[in-house]
Amino acid sequence: MTDRPYWVYILRCADGSLYTGITTDVERRTGQHNAGTGAKYTRSHRPVEPVYRELCPDKSAALRRERAIKALTHGEKLALIGEKPK
């Protein structure tokens, strides 16, 4: 059985904070976050919008990449999504 591709994504929350997660469907997962059925963090930071997505070959690779992105500073994350730190 072959693992299906996963996406690592970054959401910008209403307060400007960034949330990183993984999914097989970024649009569906964004809808869940905005409906309040996603992660606990995004429930109190809605609405959210996707600002970055990166395709990974499988769940294991996506989890590793998510961990690496979460270890970045806010400024490094802004650079990753193509924005200049303020």
Side-chain angles (χ1 to χ4, degrees):
M1 182 172 154
T2 305
D3 280 338
R4 58 187 161 181
Y6 271 75
W7 293 90
V8 176
Y9 63 93
I10 299 177
L11 302 175
R12 179 179 313 287
C13 300
D15 64 358
S17 63
L18 300 173
Y19 173 84
T20 305
I22 70 166
T23 186
T24 57
D25 183 337
V26 176
E27 287 74 27
R28 175 189 53 79
R29 189 68 176 139
T30 300
Q32 289 173 327
H33 286 293
N34 279 320
T37 60
K40 184 176 180 181
Y41 180 83
T42 59
R43 283 183 214 145
S44 61
H45 294 83
R46 293 181 284 164
V48 300
E49 65 174 327
V51 293
Y52 179 81
R53 59 186 80 195
E54 182 178 320
L55 185 61
C56 296
D58 55 40
K59 187 175 184 177
S60 178
L63 287 167
R64 285 192 304 274
R65 182 62 177 143
E66 177 191 31
R67 191 174 323 116
I69 291 173
K70 285 183 173 185
L72 298 175
T73 65
H74 186 75
E76 291 169 333
K77 289 176 189 175
L78 289 176
L80 178 65
I81 65 175
E83 295 183 14
K84 292 183 181 179
K86 295 178 181 179

